[in-house]
Amino acid sequence: MNEEFLSRFEVHEWRHALAVLERDFPDEFDDITAVLGSITIYRSDVVSGGGGRSIIARTIDGGFEARGWRAKSWETQIVVDDEALRSPTHEVDSYKNRVAIELEWNNKDPFFDRDLNNFRLLFDLRAISVGVIITKSDELAPALHGLGVWKKYGTSTTWMHKLLPRLEGGGGGGCPILAFGIRRSVVDERRDRPNEQG
């Protein structure tokens, strides 16, 4: 990852996730850096109203979808005394070749627990080799204050400082996990998304 990329995203890893991705999944790693490296979040994306998946999430998910990534869940079961009990996994936002990605732009922070537990389970079942979480860097707080939307994005939502203690506390078990925090430099605080009024 070059300096320009690191100026736009803070990066944290658990259990050598970066090395695993670079060495064993170079195409998927290239996809991740290309999609993240190309995004711009516009003022209108941040201040627009809620309801459904945000334009930010749709834009990032769309970038992965264009490269062959798909949302995916797994049908799993637990067998006890010959009785099979269905235990389906939570659907991940984007999946390709044993790499799973979750985007947590503005959910409540307990969603991190769900994501990490899902990564742990899928890794233990040998369904994935690496988990990736994309969320807000704490550096975004001043921008959100300045745009007058702090109440919408406040302290109870998904931020990197909420993820790291869960990650370092072993919430993902043995699964290698790479976390990206979207820095303020990704946000264009003055311009609206092209083709929108503004």
Side-chain angles (χ1 to χ4, degrees):
M1 294 181 186
N2 59 36
E3 288 186 17
E4 181 182 356
F5 186 92
L6 293 175
S7 73
R8 291 166 50 83
F9 297 90
E10 64 173 294
V11 181
H12 302 272
E13 66 175 331
W14 174 256
R15 295 197 176 275
H16 311 289
L18 189 55
V20 173
L21 271 172
E22 285 183 314
R23 171 132 341 201
D24 295 340
F25 303 95
D27 293 339
E28 290 70 30
F29 179 69
D30 287 347
D31 286 348
I32 292 167
T33 55
V35 170
L36 294 183
S38 68
I39 66 167
T40 297
I41 296 172
Y42 294 91
R43 185 190 70 84
S44 56
D45 300 339
V46 175
V47 301
S48 61
R53 201 142 172 82
S54 73
I55 184 66
I56 297 165
R58 294 197 309 270
T59 299
I60 295 173
D61 288 345
F64 286 112
E65 187 174 339
R67 291 173 173 266
W69 295 69
R70 298 292 181 262
K72 180 170 175 57
S73 59
W74 288 259
E75 286 296 326
T76 60
Q77 60 184 12
I78 300 169
V79 179
V80 180
D81 291 335
D82 297 324
E83 182 179 352
L85 306 171
R86 288 186 68 247
S87 178
T89 66
H90 169 73
E91 182 179 83
V92 298
D93 293 329
S94 300
Y95 171 84
K96 185 178 178 184
N97 189 27
R98 300 182 57 83
V99 180
I101 299 175
E102 289 284 10
L103 171 62
E104 298 297 357
W105 168 252
N106 196 37
N107 276 322
K108 298 298 183 184
D109 66 87
F111 277 71
F112 284 143
D113 298 315
R114 180 204 66 184
D115 296 340
L116 293 174
N117 186 59
N118 201 38
F119 285 164
R120 177 191 56 76
L121 173 64
L122 292 170
F123 180 78
D124 288 346
L125 293 173
R126 302 176 187 174
I128 69 170
S129 296
V130 183
V132 177
I133 296 179
I134 305 164
T135 192
K136 300 188 299 289
S137 169
D138 294 355
E139 292 180 13
L140 278 177
L144 299 180
H145 276 291
L147 291 170
V149 292
W150 178 250
K151 186 175 181 180
K152 174 182 171 183
Y153 291 97
T155 56
S156 65
T157 64
T158 44
W159 292 89
M160 185 62 79
H161 77 272
K162 299 287 190 73
L163 173 60
L164 291 180
R166 291 170 160 98
L167 189 59
E168 292 164 359
C175 182
I177 296 172
L178 190 60
F180 293 96
I182 300 170
R183 296 186 189 271
R184 187 172 184 172
S185 58
V186 175
V187 179
D188 188 328
E189 299 171 50
R190 297 184 176 182
R191 290 191 301 157
D192 289 341
R193 180 169 289 276
N195 301 322
E196 289 187 357
Q197 193 175 17

